[in-house]
Amino acid sequence: MRHGFPAKGQQGVRFLYQADHQAKVISVAGTFNSWDHTKHKMDQKGSNRWELELSLPKGRHLYKIVVDDKEWITDPLNSNISEDGQNNSAITVTENGDVLIRTTDITEHSPGYMYENFQAIESPEWLKKAVIYELHMRAFNDNGFNGLADKMDYLKELGVNTLWIMPFHEVGEEKRMGKYGDPYAVKDYYSIDGSYGKAEELKALIAKAHANGMKVIMDWVMNRGSVDHIQTKSHPEYFTRNESNEVYYEVPNRDYFAGLNFDNRDMRAYVMKAMAYWIAEFDFDGFRLDDSDITPFDFLSEIRQELHKVKDDIVLISQSYDEYHHLESCNLTYDGSLRLAIKDLADSKITRIDFIWIYKSYKYSFPKGALRMRWLEEKECSRIWAFLGEEIAMPAASILMTVEGVPFIMMGQEFNERTLNTWTSLFEDYQLDWTHFDEKMFRHYKSLIHLRTNHAALWNGELQFIHHSEEMVLSYIQRNEKEELLIVVNLSGNPLTVSFEESMDAMKYFGKNKNLIYRSGEDEISTQMGKHDLYIHDFETQIYQMSR
């Protein structure tokens, strides 16, 4: 843990900003004030020095410093940048008001506060071995629920075992953006957009997924409805209201939303009853909770308690990076650190040792047993091939599918789909471009997914990095009580001979017999050049099963 700012003050979390030029106003905007930079202005304490103390609840908070109401910057005094791809400063506030700032000093030998003091809630086995696939009905196919049912063979061939369906409800019309509007601007929590089909067809789809060994997750809009939600007239007290007593959403530039009023107990009961309905009537296996990072902790806990009464192995996926969500409410939190760390390693901005430290800093700053949902793409970020480059997207997929945690794939990611930008593409007529299908990438994902689901060490193992001679190669062991797998991934555009002679850990593994069970390269593989050497092609992945 780094000491400095932000830090615990007398009245809350103390923020400090030292401007490098004359500024008129400085403020702090983040998840704690719905990113409204007008709410919390800092006090000027000198010519260019600004301070502010805020009483913040326990949990993870993202924020930026806002200079003169227009320049949004990360906090120069806080080295911890969020792994969500949005370049936000990040802190965690404990139940005692202490401020935790994640650094690479956090390791298995020096774990963070949360790892030392807390255990995550237990999750069902099916989630631990899940490979999650996110899709939007209209974008993925052109015939709604029936069309998705027809695609089941494709998904089964790919090997994914958990489907995450983005919102399929009726979308609000007032202040709508685009032809179809934002799919997260839900008008009625009980509704189904008729263009996707009928309730009976959705039930048949879920039943077919279950018959094929797949679980189905429903995307739930956690904090808001559309501004013309059916309850805004009959129960306006369910929603947040502005100075003109109009329903509104606190997050700027989201005029088509109406925020939920969490202080209203009837509203909470209404939402939980609606969620229970989809489990009881349609047999959904869990919910992905949109924007749960700005949902009160106690409400998340209430939701879990109520839904467990309907289905005892229900799963909640939190769209947050909050350590505290693992303690009472959520099974999974997001982890986008691989996307950023792989990019920085490939660009030589960090070393291989830095990558390992970054990986460990996340693992050992969360409660023991916390499951993280790891991703390379998500709805607010660009395609991974565009972010990394097509060639590095292959080894990046290898890392995603073979490290600890639960991997999730964005629709089309598995074949290098070209046209999806962000979820705003879904506001208009849009479908994935299936005509430019990268067969090589598909086969790569298919092979990795089948390996993961058939080797328990990959979903229920302990990861140990192995040191060697090459900066652009990552190698690690995944082991459980029954098996050990060695994964070697080359992020370089050069074929390399990797020497493991310097590592005592590696020496004992290379003294064993190794059975090559997967490689992504298509050229003939060279024989080992020495007892502790391994030859690997450019951008190649090799996976070995080790004798015990």
Side-chain angles (χ1 to χ4, degrees), residues 303-345:
I303 289 171
R304 182 171 194 83
Q305 292 165 12
E306 286 301 310
L307 298 187
H308 259 286
K309 298 175 183 177
V310 186
K311 180 178 280 194
D312 59 5
D313 65 344
I314 197 74
V315 159
L316 297 181
I317 302 173
S318 173
Q319 192 203 1
S320 78
Y321 303 79
D322 197 316
E323 301 92 332
Y324 281 92
H325 281 199
H326 289 276
L327 302 187
E328 296 178 357
S329 56
C330 298
N331 303 88
L332 278 179
T333 55
Y334 273 42
D335 186 339
S337 61
L338 289 180
R339 176 183 171 102
L340 302 178
I342 292 171
K343 172 71 170 174
D344 286 346
L345 179 58

Side-chain angles (χ1 to χ4, degrees), residues 278-415:
W278 290 100
I279 301 171
E281 293 296 320
F282 292 82
D283 203 19
F284 278 98
D285 300 291
F287 293 94
R288 178 263 184 185
L289 306 178
D290 186 66
D291 282 348
S292 51
D293 56 347
I294 54 176
T295 305
F297 279 101
D298 65 325
F299 189 31
L300 293 175
S301 298
E302 288 174 14
I303 289 171
R304 182 171 194 83
Q305 292 165 12
E306 286 301 310
L307 298 187
H308 259 286
K309 298 175 183 177
V310 186
K311 180 178 280 194
D312 59 5
D313 65 344
I314 197 74
V315 159
L316 297 181
I317 302 173
S318 173
Q319 192 203 1
S320 78
Y321 303 79
D322 197 316
E323 301 92 332
Y324 281 92
H325 281 199
H326 289 276
L327 302 187
E328 296 178 357
S329 56
C330 298
N331 303 88
L332 278 179
T333 55
Y334 273 42
D335 186 339
S337 61
L338 289 180
R339 176 183 171 102
L340 302 178
I342 292 171
K343 172 71 170 174
D344 286 346
L345 179 58
D347 291 345
S348 299
K349 292 182 179 179
I350 61 174
T351 66
R352 175 171 48 87
I353 299 301
D354 292 331
F355 183 99
I356 294 171
W357 285 345
I358 290 169
Y359 182 94
K360 291 182 177 180
S361 73
Y362 285 99
K363 177 177 178 178
Y364 294 104
S365 62
F366 272 73
K368 291 184 185 71
L371 283 175
R372 311 297 311 285
M373 188 172 74
R374 297 189 183 275
W375 54 268
L376 299 175
E377 297 182 14
E378 66 100 37
K379 68 182 178 70
E380 297 182 41
C381 293
S382 62
R383 288 294 197 190
I384 193 62
W385 68 264
F387 184 69
L388 294 178
E390 285 189 47
E391 292 178 309
I392 301 179
M394 288 278 286
S398 301
I399 297 168
L400 172 70
M401 300 306 304
T402 58
V403 296
E404 297 157 307
V406 177
F408 119 70
I409 300 168
M410 185 68 178
M411 58 178 180
Q413 178 181 329
E414 75 280 9
F415 65 88

Side-chain angles (χ1 to χ4, degrees), residues 102 134 156 182 275 303 532 544-545:
R102 185 178 298 128
E134 177 186 6
K156 191 172 183 179
D182 188 334
M275 296 176 81
I303 289 171
H532 303 294
Y544 296 86
Q545 191 169 30

Side-chain angles (χ1 to χ4, degrees), residues 190-210:
Y190 287 89
S191 67
I192 293 175
D193 184 328
S195 66
Y196 301 136
K198 299 178 180 180
E200 292 74 17
E201 292 166 329
L202 175 57
K203 290 178 181 179
L205 165 64
I206 296 172
K208 185 172 183 178
H210 288 164

Side-chain angles (χ1 to χ4, degrees), residues 16 36 41 119 148 150-151 192 261 300 385 392 427:
L16 174 66
D36 186 345
K41 299 184 184 300
Q119 179 75 38
L148 179 53
D150 292 340
K151 281 279 191 181
I192 293 175
N261 175 16
L300 293 175
W385 68 264
I392 301 179
F427 295 11

Side-chain angles (χ1 to χ4, degrees), residues 46-316:
S47 58
N48 292 320
R49 182 184 174 92
W50 303 76
E51 294 184 16
L52 174 68
E53 286 197 17
L54 284 178
S55 178
L56 299 182
K58 70 178 182 182
R60 189 86 166 147
H61 301 282
L62 308 181
Y63 70 97
K64 277 191 168 77
I65 303 293
V66 186
V67 181
D68 289 333
D69 293 328
K70 59 183 179 180
E71 185 182 4
W72 293 60
I73 63 173
T74 54
D75 186 344
L77 298 180
N78 184 355
S79 60
N80 185 209
I81 303 301
S82 62
E83 67 270 35
D84 59 358
Q86 307 300 315
N87 199 38
N88 295 308
S89 298
I91 59 173
T92 296
V93 179
T94 73
E95 63 279 5
N96 301 316
D98 295 319
V99 178
L100 307 180
I101 296 177
R102 185 178 298 128
T103 71
T104 51
D105 295 333
I106 299 173
T107 67
E108 68 268 43
H109 305 298
S110 180
Y113 170 79
M114 298 299 297
Y115 189 89
E116 281 193 311
N117 292 281
F118 298 100
Q119 179 75 38
I121 59 175
E122 185 60 30
S123 293
E125 183 177 284
W126 72 259
L127 182 65
K128 296 176 183 178
K129 66 189 302 183
V131 177
I132 300 172
Y133 190 92
E134 177 186 6
L135 60 89
H136 182 266
M137 204 72 61
R138 184 186 302 111
F140 191 71
N141 71 90
D142 58 4
N143 193 24
F145 302 132
N146 291 335
L148 179 53
D150 292 340
K151 281 279 191 181
M152 201 67 69
D153 288 344
Y154 168 83
L155 295 166
K156 191 172 183 179
E157 180 188 358
L158 178 60
V160 295
N161 53 22
T162 306
L163 304 183
W164 156 9
I165 302 178
M166 296 173 76
F168 50 80
H169 304 286
E170 294 177 358
V171 173
E173 298 179 9
E174 188 176 339
K175 301 182 180 179
R176 173 182 285 192
M177 295 180 65
K179 178 178 179 180
Y180 296 105
D182 188 334
Y184 290 85
V186 175
K187 188 174 183 180
D188 179 358
Y189 298 134
Y190 287 89
S191 67
I192 293 175
D193 184 328
S195 66
Y196 301 136
K198 299 178 180 180
E200 292 74 17
E201 292 166 329
L202 175 57
K203 290 178 181 179
L205 165 64
I206 296 172
K208 185 172 183 178
H210 288 164
N212 281 277
M214 299 181 194
K215 302 290 186 178
V216 187
I217 301 293
M218 183 177 180
D219 207 337
W220 190 267
V221 184
M222 197 65 254
N223 301 290
R224 60 201 184 278
S226 67
V227 72
D228 54 349
H229 188 279
I230 61 167
Q231 296 290 326
T232 56
K233 300 298 184 184
S234 58
H235 290 282
E237 69 277 10
Y238 287 1
F239 300 89
T240 54
R241 309 179 76 76
N242 60 21
E243 295 176 354
S244 301
N245 203 33
E246 300 168 326
V247 295
Y248 87 119
Y249 190 45
E250 287 184 302
V251 177
N253 305 315
R254 294 291 186 269
D255 292 343
Y256 52 84
F257 284 134
L260 295 181
N261 175 16
F262 293 113
D263 293 331
N264 189 288
R265 302 299 306 181
D266 291 338
M267 182 281 293
R268 291 191 179 200
Y270 172 74
V271 169
M272 289 187 290
K273 185 177 180 181
M275 296 176 81
Y277 162 80
W278 290 100
I279 301 171
E281 293 296 320
F282 292 82
D283 203 19
F284 278 98
D285 300 291
F287 293 94
R288 178 263 184 185
L289 306 178
D290 186 66
D291 282 348
S292 51
D293 56 347
I294 54 176
T295 305
F297 279 101
D298 65 325
F299 189 31
L300 293 175
S301 298
E302 288 174 14
I303 289 171
R304 182 171 194 83
Q305 292 165 12
E306 286 301 310
L307 298 187
H308 259 286
K309 298 175 183 177
V310 186
K311 180 178 280 194
D312 59 5
D313 65 344
I314 197 74
V315 159
L316 297 181

